Amino acid sequence: RTKKQRAALLNELSKTLYHTYKQQFIHRSVQVLFEESKEAGWLFGHTSEYLPVKVPCDESYLHTMKQVTLVDLDFDDVLIGK
């Protein structure tokens, strides 16, 4: 195999393992630091494990830490909380 093929294979394996790791957090309650608002009605932040999270809420939570229950992964592989 060529170097590019091995790199592509390892990249796909890495993505799969990261997705599986994120799935372990679904239905768990975690602390999230809300850092930005990219879409109307959604705040984006990270857990203490640096996992990306988005939650439907108003901007009053921006730059705060809140307890969030993770419920799903979206099509961009970002955890969705409530």
Side-chain angles (χ1 to χ4, degrees):
R1 293 188 185 184
T2 67
K3 184 176 177 180
K4 286 184 180 182
Q5 288 173 322
R6 287 192 310 268
L9 182 64
L10 288 173
N11 190 30
E12 281 303 311
L13 177 60
S14 176
K15 287 179 185 178
T16 301
L17 291 173
Y18 189 44
H19 178 82
T20 301
Y21 176 68
K22 287 180 191 177
Q23 285 180 318
Q24 295 175 19
F25 288 87
I26 295 175
H27 304 298
R28 288 193 187 176
S29 182
V30 296
Q31 288 276 11
V32 174
L33 173 61
F34 293 103
E35 301 168 298
E36 59 185 330
S37 175
K38 296 182 196 173
E39 299 172 21
W42 291 88
L43 287 183
F44 291 78
H46 291 88
T47 68
S48 58
E49 292 83 6
Y50 301 106
L51 298 173
V53 176
K54 72 179 189 178
V55 177
C57 60
D58 62 64
E59 292 194 16
S60 67
Y61 284 14
L62 198 57
H63 306 297
T64 64
M65 287 193 78
K66 298 291 181 186
Q67 198 72 21
V68 171
T69 300
L70 303 174
V71 294
D72 204 357
L73 279 166
D74 74 359
F75 60 92
D76 286 330
D77 218 24
V78 174
L79 287 159
I80 301 172
K82 66 173 186 176

